[in-house]
């Protein structure tokens, strides 16, 4: 259950990163509100998961999911450049996330 919270928190991290860009420096109301909601949810779920998980693997998985999700979203929806190196690098991050999740120990 704790790892599921980390995964959802990572997905919410993607949401707050994208909304941060869409807010244009907090000058647009709805993306700013969405940023705050996603950030609060993401940090809240991560905090709950850390009651059961070691901080190193949990934090690394959380940031990895957020970074990967944000990069993929940017390439698909925001016109970010999609290069072979970028896609291969995202693959390495995903492999790292899986490895860290498998290595994380629950207390």
């Amino acid at each position: 259950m704790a790892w599921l919270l980390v995964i959802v928190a990572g997905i919410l991290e993607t949401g707050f990163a994208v909304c941060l860009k869409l807010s244009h420096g907090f000058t647009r109301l709805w993306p700013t509100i969405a940023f705050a909601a996603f950030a609060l949810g993401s940090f809240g779920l991560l905090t709950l998961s850390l009651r059961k998980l070691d901080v190193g693997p949990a934090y690394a998985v959380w940031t990895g999911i957020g970074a990967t999700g944000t990069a993929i979203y940017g390439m698909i929806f925001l016109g970010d450049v999609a290069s072979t190196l970028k896609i291969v690098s995202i693959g390495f991050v995903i492999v790292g996330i899986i490895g860290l999740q498998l290595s994380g120990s629950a207390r």
Side-chain angles (χ1 to χ4, degrees):
M1 181 64 169
W3 278 115
L4 179 61
L5 293 177
V6 173
I7 291 167
V8 174
I11 293 167
L12 292 175
E13 183 187 1
T14 297
F16 83 68
V18 170
C19 288
L20 186 61
K21 176 173 177 61
L22 297 176
S23 75
H24 291 271
F26 301 123
T27 61
R28 293 185 176 166
L29 179 63
W30 291 113
T32 299
I33 291 171
F35 161 79
F38 282 125
L40 183 61
S42 181
F43 285 113
L45 292 177
L46 180 64
T47 300
L48 291 175
S49 73
L50 291 177
R51 293 179 179 174
K52 300 283 184 191
L53 300 173
D54 292 337
V55 69
Y59 183 76
V61 169
W62 175 71
T63 57
I65 291 169
T68 300
T70 304
I72 291 170
Y73 187 94
M75 287 186 289
I76 294 172
F77 297 108
L78 301 176
D80 292 356
V81 175
S83 67
T84 302
L85 181 58
K86 188 181 283 188
I87 293 168
V88 169
S89 298
I90 289 170
F92 285 136
V93 171
I94 292 169
V95 169
I97 291 169
I98 293 168
L100 285 167
Q101 185 175 13
L102 295 174
S103 73
S105 62
R107 283 185 246 169

